Amino acid sequence: MVPKPALERLCRIYTSLEEMDTAASVYASSRELEDMTGIPAHTLRKDISYLDQPGPGGGKYRVERLMAVLEQTLGLKRRPKVCVAGLGPLGQLCLKMLCSRREFEVVAGFDANINVIELTESDVDLFPSYELPAVARARGIELAVLTVADGEVEKTAARLYDGGVRGILNYTGVTVPPEYGFDVRSVSLFEELRILAAGLRAAEK
Amino acid sequence: MVPKPALERLCRIYTSLEEMDTAASVYASSRELEDMTGIPAHTLRKDISYLDQPGPGGGKYRVERLMAVLEQTLGLKRRPKVCVAGLGPLGQLCLKMLCSRREFEVVAGFDANINVIELTESDVDLFPSYELPAVARARGIELAVLTVADGEVEKTAARLYDGGVRGILNYTGVTVPPEYGFDVRSVSLFEELRILAAGLRAAEK
DNA sequence: ATGTGTGAATTTATTCACAGCT
DNA sequence: AGCTGTGAATAAATTCACACAT
């Protein structure tokens, strides 16, 4: 079983591998990856050793192969099905970004306001919020990007749960109710800045 | 010295306290906070015990007091000085959100494109990117919200470093170069979704 | 010679359990 | 009686160090 912090680091590593010019550098050592990611080389090797098939014992990692193994073990190749709940400016931005790459399958967008749904242009099917549970179930949505107004988080969480959604990327400023057992990653502007501020303060002392 | 994971949880706790109706509930027990945050009661008590002055031994926490102590110990009361680098749609959104509350002192916005600077309406002073180091130094900016295009991250990071900025909230899709020793929190749409996807996959097995 | 893979050692974080306060 | 605060016990993650592959 791979430790959760290792899982996060592996995703960071994947991001860094993506940034590499695959043509220019076919191989990368753990030391080189350390310089790119900031993750110490030994931690990084340990993390990679959790994968089903790590590198080939001796010699550097073959970038392409490593990415393939990461995609495999981390389940990235499956194109997980994702929706966007809340189509304000931020939600629309997320929708656009998600559509700009093939990585995830963007299955639906939801908003409480029907006008928004009619006025928004998108390749993705848009629905009023109350249809969320039915649509999510019918289409097998696994992940949601939560960009609703703070006041709607509670109701939306309940609907996502009814729809069988398992993981939430929470862009709102409030806490996703924990009782549903979602896997949540929170990305609140203020909370993240607070953590940074607290870190600075802690470093000083 | 307070462990870093504890620090993050304390910030989450602070967020949840904020959400409480302070008039309605003056006191909160660790158990009640568990229900709100999802953090187990004993973890939460331990975390709070790291603070300079935790609660009053017996009885529940006084919400107002606990928030005050958190603000104190986490350095939130100082109104840390923050800037936004990159004034595309996301950057402008962040700028607006930051200005809507008094919590941080929003000191400046930066963009490579001078037209953007002239056309954007904001209470905050806006500058072209090359002035970043000088302005950041002159105004004592500590934190930056990084919302530039992916291709500009490297150059911007160098400028932030020259400006004496210590922490970065990274909204871009690429890694902030680690060599400057920034305290970074990354909030990349794709990377976060990948972590969620990997988590689901790991849970299945 | 250089660089990975991994068990063992060490460090760090979480959980427990209970003394002490209200 | 109920709840916090915290040292001690447990669990988890990181770092080390070296065998082994290229």
Side-chain angles (χ1 to χ4, degrees):
Chain A
M1 219 285 163
V2 14
K4 220 165 114 182
L7 212 73
E8 296 178 17
R9 283 193 302 266
L10 286 167
C11 289
R12 286 230 299 287
I13 293 167
Y14 184 84
T15 302
S16 279
L17 290 173
E18 259 189 331
E19 289 166 31
M20 289 182 60
D21 184 354
T22 47
S25 36
V26 182
Y27 296 96
S29 70
S30 56
R31 189 51 221 284
E32 288 164 335
L33 290 173
E34 168 172 341
D35 292 341
M36 299 179 62
T37 59
I39 301 166
H42 36 75
T43 304
L44 209 143
R45 288 212 303 279
K46 184 66 159 180
D47 290 347
I48 291 175
S49 83
Y50 290 124
L51 299 175
D52 294 341
Q53 315 147 286
K60 301 182 173 187
Y61 297 110
R62 255 200 26 240
V63 173
E64 211 173 327
R65 189 180 117 83
L66 185 51
M67 288 184 72
V69 177
L70 283 168
E71 283 166 16
Q72 226 275 292
T73 312
L74 302 182
L76 306 175
K77 218 163 192 167
R78 269 187 322 166
R79 297 233 308 152
K81 290 180 188 170
V82 56
C83 71
V84 176
L87 300 174
L90 184 55
Q92 300 210 10
L93 215 62
C94 288
L95 207 59
K96 238 178 267 173
M97 290 181 66
L98 285 168
C99 291
S100 74
R101 290 204 217 171
R102 270 187 73 330
E103 183 166 347
F104 294 91
E105 189 177 337
V106 191
V107 171
F110 301 95
D111 198 284
N113 186 333
I114 295 189
N115 292 331
V116 170
I117 290 165
E118 289 183 347
L119 292 172
T120 303
E121 281 219 17
S122 175
D123 300 338
V124 178
D125 293 334
L126 306 182
F127 302 90
S129 297
Y130 66 84
E131 292 191 31
L132 202 162
V135 174
R137 251 184 211 294
R139 304 196 176 190
I141 297 175
E142 304 166 76
L143 300 174
V145 177
L146 189 62
T147 45
V148 300
D150 287 359
E152 290 183 59
V153 169
E154 211 164 316
K155 196 184 301 179
T156 309
R159 284 173 173 157
L160 289 167
Y161 180 75
D162 289 341
V165 171
R166 308 279 308 282
I168 293 182
L169 179 49
N170 176 27
Y171 275 94
T172 77
V174 301
T175 311
V176 175
E179 62 258 34
Y180 299 113
F182 288 116
D183 196 356
V184 179
R185 304 228 13 127
S186 262
V187 172
S188 144
L189 178 62
F190 285 95
E191 195 168 309
E192 294 296 319
L193 282 175
R194 267 180 219 144
I195 293 170
L196 284 171
L200 293 190
R201 169 119 181 129
E204 282 162 14
K205 294 223 283 199
Chain B
M1 218 290 164
V2 14
K4 221 166 115 183
L7 213 73
E8 296 178 17
R9 283 192 302 264
L10 286 166
C11 288
R12 286 231 298 286
I13 292 167
Y14 184 84
T15 302
S16 279
L17 291 172
E18 260 189 330
E19 289 166 33
M20 288 183 59
D21 184 354
T22 47
S25 37
V26 181
Y27 296 95
S29 69
S30 56
R31 190 51 221 284
E32 287 164 337
L33 290 174
E34 169 172 338
D35 292 340
M36 299 179 62
T37 59
I39 301 165
H42 35 73
T43 304
L44 208 142
R45 288 210 304 281
K46 183 68 160 181
D47 290 347
I48 291 175
S49 83
Y50 291 125
L51 299 175
D52 295 342
Q53 313 148 286
K60 300 182 175 188
Y61 297 110
R62 257 204 20 244
V63 174
E64 211 173 327
R65 190 181 117 82
L66 185 51
M67 287 184 74
V69 176
L70 283 168
E71 284 167 15
Q72 226 275 291
T73 312
L74 302 183
L76 305 175
K77 218 164 192 166
R78 268 187 325 166
R79 296 234 307 152
K81 292 180 187 170
V82 58
C83 71
V84 176
L87 300 174
L90 184 56
Q92 300 209 11
L93 214 63
C94 289
L95 207 59
K96 238 178 265 172
M97 291 181 66
L98 286 168
C99 290
S100 75
R101 291 203 216 171
R102 269 188 44 65
E103 183 167 344
F104 294 92
E105 189 176 336
V106 190
V107 170
F110 301 95
D111 197 285
N113 186 336
I114 295 188
N115 292 332
V116 170
I117 290 164
E118 290 182 348
L119 293 173
T120 304
E121 281 219 19
S122 174
D123 300 338
V124 178
D125 293 333
L126 305 181
F127 303 91
S129 297
Y130 64 85
E131 291 190 34
L132 202 162
V135 174
R137 247 180 215 297
R139 305 197 175 190
I141 297 175
E142 304 164 78
L143 300 175
V145 177
L146 190 61
T147 45
V148 300
D150 286 0
E152 288 183 61
V153 169
E154 210 163 318
K155 197 184 299 179
T156 309
R159 284 172 173 158
L160 289 167
Y161 180 75
D162 290 341
V165 171
R166 308 279 307 284
I168 293 181
L169 178 48
N170 176 27
Y171 275 93
T172 77
V174 301
T175 311
V176 175
E179 63 257 33
Y180 300 113
F182 288 116
D183 196 355
V184 178
R185 305 234 4 132
S186 263
V187 173
S188 146
L189 177 62
F190 285 96
E191 195 168 310
E192 294 297 318
L193 282 176
R194 266 180 220 146
I195 292 170
L196 284 171
L200 292 191
R201 168 119 182 130
E204 282 162 15
K205 295 224 283 198

